[in-house]
Amino acid sequence: MNIEKEREAFEQRFQHLDLDFVEDLGYCESETQYAWAAWCAATKRADEKLEGCVVVPVEPTYAMYQAYEKHSVAPMSTLSKTGYKAMVEAARGGK
């Protein structure tokens, strides 16, 4: 978690709160400090959930096709493309 990036996003989202911040102590208002702690916990949990994951395009790119053909024992086929799309859809929570 990039704490500075998260603090910037937090302060952008919660502009209506008192955002006075003291280095090494945190936010001055307890309501803001509670909100910040919750934000950090949620961000950490999201990071842990995605550990071991990578982002891939829904449709394979030309470079992906080339890598497949270079390392596969069989040529790229409609079945390979359909299988890739099915795996992406399953990872997204689909069928």
Side-chain angles (χ1 to χ4, degrees):
M1 173 171 70
N2 179 329
I3 198 75
E4 292 306 316
K5 184 177 177 184
E6 289 304 322
R7 179 169 283 116
E8 185 179 313
F10 172 79
E11 291 183 357
Q12 180 76 28
R13 170 61 181 86
F14 292 101
Q15 294 175 13
H16 64 283
L17 296 177
D18 179 355
L19 297 173
D20 289 336
F21 184 81
V22 177
E23 201 64 41
D24 297 328
L25 293 177
Y27 290 97
C28 295
E29 292 293 321
S30 60
E31 178 183 271
T32 306
Q33 188 60 37
Y34 292 138
W36 172 240
W39 181 284
C40 289
T43 300
K44 183 177 182 215
R45 185 172 186 290
D47 287 348
E48 289 169 354
K49 254 176 92 172
L50 295 175
E51 192 170 312
C53 295
V54 295
V55 177
V56 296
V58 174
E59 296 288 330
T61 65
Y62 181 70
M64 293 168 75
Y65 287 138
Q66 287 181 314
Y68 177 90
E69 289 178 359
K70 180 178 179 183
H71 298 284
S72 180
V73 295
M76 178 63 74
S77 67
T78 302
L79 183 60
S80 303
K81 295 173 188 174
T82 304
Y84 174 85
K85 291 176 185 177
M87 289 185 288
V88 169
E89 184 59 32
R92 294 170 77 186
K95 300 173 187 175

